[in-house]
Amino acid sequence: MNFLAIDPGEKYCGVATKITASTKSSKELLSFLRANINCYDIVVVEEFRLYPWTAKAHVWSNMPVCKLIGKIEYICEENNIRIIYQPASIKKLPFVKKIIKECGLKFKSQHEKDAYMHLVYYLKEILDEEKDNYLNKNSRNIR
């Protein structure tokens, strides 16, 4: 399976796969998605939430990040690509920070790093789910 993780931003976005991370403008990201979406099985995107403590920063905003996420969602749906949303808060989890640090990767932007963190978190969720399924299946066989 091939995964793509996206950290959308107002001007720049982070994009990560299992082996690369890059920074793209919103326009570049959408062009990249249109040209390459069928290379991916799942797209992981940081969701946008308007929190009370950040609301003032968005007064009079036309919410470009929300619009971009909608366009990403549309491209994925049109191509039958599964989209997974994650909260920004996953970037604060100690195990995600630890894995990123241990990888020794150098990121050109915070958006790149954030996209990679979303990918790491998603891959860990898959591994945990597979492990649980394996243990549940094998524990029945032991009885």
Side-chain angles (χ1 to χ4, degrees), residues 7 11-16 21-26 28-29 107-113:
D7 178 56
K11 293 181 182 175
Y12 295 99
C13 307
V15 180
S22 62
T23 302
K24 299 183 182 307
S25 71
S26 299
E28 290 170 333
L29 171 65
F107 300 99
K108 294 177 188 166
S109 73
Q110 188 62 44
H111 283 297
E112 273 182 29
K113 184 177 181 180

Side-chain angles (χ1 to χ4, degrees), residues 89-113:
S89 60
I90 67 98
K91 297 177 287 192
K92 296 178 183 176
L93 296 172
F95 82 85
V96 173
K97 289 180 177 181
K98 181 181 178 194
I99 290 170
I100 294 294
K101 187 176 181 180
E102 288 175 358
C103 287
L105 298 171
K106 301 290 182 211
F107 300 99
K108 294 177 188 166
S109 73
Q110 188 62 44
H111 283 297
E112 273 182 29
K113 184 177 181 180

Side-chain angles (χ1 to χ4, degrees), residues 16-134:
T17 67
K18 289 183 266 186
I19 56 171
T20 64
S22 62
T23 302
K24 299 183 182 307
S25 71
S26 299
K27 225 177 207 180
E28 290 170 333
L29 171 65
L30 293 172
S31 294
F32 171 81
L33 277 178
R34 285 186 202 99
N36 297 290
I37 193 65
N38 290 313
C39 297
Y40 302 101
D41 302 296
I42 294 175
V43 175
V44 180
V45 179
E46 181 177 296
E47 66 185 2
F48 179 89
R49 293 277 183 222
L50 183 60
Y51 300 107
W53 55 90
T54 63
K56 282 186 179 181
H58 296 284
V59 171
W60 302 110
S61 170
N62 65 1
M63 308 298 266
V65 175
C66 294
K67 290 178 179 181
L68 178 61
I69 291 171
K71 291 173 184 176
I72 294 167
E73 188 175 277
Y74 177 79
I75 292 168
C76 289
E77 286 178 1
E78 285 291 299
N79 292 279
N80 296 313
I81 304 298
R82 186 173 171 208
I83 189 165
I84 305 290
Y85 293 100
Q86 293 178 345
S89 60
I90 67 98
K91 297 177 287 192
K92 296 178 183 176
L93 296 172
F95 82 85
V96 173
K97 289 180 177 181
K98 181 181 178 194
I99 290 170
I100 294 294
K101 187 176 181 180
E102 288 175 358
C103 287
L105 298 171
K106 301 290 182 211
F107 300 99
K108 294 177 188 166
S109 73
Q110 188 62 44
H111 283 297
E112 273 182 29
K113 184 177 181 180
D114 290 353
Y116 208 81
M117 291 174 114
H118 282 289
L119 183 64
V120 165
Y121 182 79
Y122 183 71
L123 294 174
K124 173 118 174 34
E125 278 187 326
I126 290 173
L127 291 174
D128 287 347
E129 188 176 303
E130 286 183 12
K131 181 181 85 175
D132 290 345
N133 290 339
Y134 176 82

